[in-house]
Amino acid sequence: SQKIEQNSEALNIQEGKTATLTCNYTNYSPAYLQWYRQDPGRGPVFLLLIRENEKEKRKERLKVTFDTTLKQSLFHITASQPADSATYLCALDRGATNKLIFGTGTLLAVQP
Amino acid sequence: SQTIHQWPATLVQPVGSPLSLECTVEGTSNPNLYWYRQAAGRGLQLLFYSVGIGQISSEVPQNLSASRPQDRQFILSSKKLLLSDSGFYLCAWSLALGTDTQYFGPGTRLTVL
């Protein structure tokens, strides 16, 4: 079955630096991969989606890459701010209808 | 625009008591609906999903059940709560066709004592 691996350790970076989070999957390559942000005590919020035929996707300070050979997606936040501190989840489709598999997320802490 | 509501926001219940959590979606028709549970420091566990009224698929055998009495209403229930049912319960919706991008509600924090 498909498994997703995200770094369970928190990522601490200085304000203004670029944060890079990793999502690895173990089985078949999904048709698309999604990234969500979750703040404590809140539901996840959708950020970006990248399809298997796309290498890179950008939205403002966010950039996602998708390498189906490495079975890996990287999520970058440039010019990071303390307000970017949150848990970031990656999610893949299961190859069946209507369901996603979510990773456990990586906690990002941006220090002022 | 679409909005999703969940209530209650927090709930403390004794072991053995019943449970009913409600989720409603506004601004869209025939959405796919989902119930997730998130234990402290853990990932999202899909409990149930529904593609239409009365159509419920269970992902994990457990002490819970779900119902969809109306197109945009999704209910999570239990007849007798267990300690292990404690957690953060999230409802989500997605479009019936497309990339399954999911839009989450604010969640219900359930503590079973």
Side-chain angles (χ1 to χ4, degrees):
Chain A
S1 62
Q2 184 73 284
K3 290 185 179 179
I4 300 174
E5 297 169 353
Q6 291 187 261
N7 192 343
S8 59
E9 295 182 7
L11 178 63
N12 293 285
I13 65 168
Q14 283 298 118
E15 182 175 7
K17 302 292 186 183
T18 295
T20 299
L21 287 71
T22 304
C23 174
N24 295 297
Y25 56 94
T26 58
N27 203 344
Y28 61 86
S29 283
Y32 45 82
L33 185 150
Q34 306 185 30
W35 284 89
Y36 291 74
R37 168 183 173 142
Q38 187 174 23
D39 291 285
R42 308 285 293 273
V45 174
F46 170 73
L47 295 175
L48 278 171
L49 178 148
I50 186 165
R51 299 179 187 277
E52 62 178 339
N53 61 350
E54 298 176 315
K55 295 293 184 185
E56 182 179 296
K57 200 77 165 285
R58 291 176 183 262
K59 178 182 176 182
E60 298 173 351
R61 295 185 294 110
L62 308 181
K63 184 178 83 172
V64 173
T65 62
F66 194 7
D67 189 326
T68 56
T69 301
L70 293 178
K71 296 188 176 181
Q72 181 181 81
S73 174
L74 298 179
F75 178 80
H76 306 272
I77 305 176
T78 58
S80 60
Q81 305 166 0
D84 295 326
S85 299
T87 296
Y88 291 86
L89 309 171
C90 116
L92 314 177
D93 72 287
R94 293 189 180 193
T97 57
N98 313 119
K99 291 183 283 186
L100 297 178
I101 304 172
F102 284 86
T104 54
T106 298
L107 176 62
L108 172 67
V110 181
Q111 309 298 331
Chain B
S1 64
Q2 301 86 6
T3 55
I4 178 168
H5 304 278
Q6 281 186 251
W7 64 91
T10 59
L11 192 59
V12 180
Q13 292 285 96
V15 169
S17 63
L19 173 74
S20 181
L21 303 181
E22 189 163 343
C23 170
T24 58
V25 180
E26 297 176 354
T28 188
S29 296
N30 194 32
N32 294 324
L33 296 173
Y34 310 83
W35 279 112
Y36 289 89
R37 178 169 59 204
Q38 188 173 37
R42 305 287 295 277
L44 291 169
Q45 179 187 30
L46 180 62
L47 302 176
F48 301 95
Y49 74 96
S50 172
V51 298
I53 295 174
Q55 301 179 61
I56 309 294
S57 295
S58 174
E59 284 292 295
V60 181
Q62 56 209 318
N63 185 40
L64 302 169
S65 62
S67 62
R68 185 171 177 172
Q70 300 181 46
D71 181 45
R72 290 169 288 179
Q73 184 185 29
F74 206 22
I75 297 172
L76 183 69
S77 304
S78 174
K79 292 183 179 178
K80 289 186 177 181
L81 283 169
L82 306 172
L83 287 173
S84 58
D85 291 324
S86 294
F88 190 46
Y89 287 83
L90 289 157
C91 180
W93 72 272
S94 69
L95 293 172
L97 297 174
T99 59
D100 306 324
T101 295
Q102 297 189 10
Y103 302 93
F104 287 83
T108 295
R109 175 74 59 190
L110 172 66
T111 303
V112 182
L113 301 175

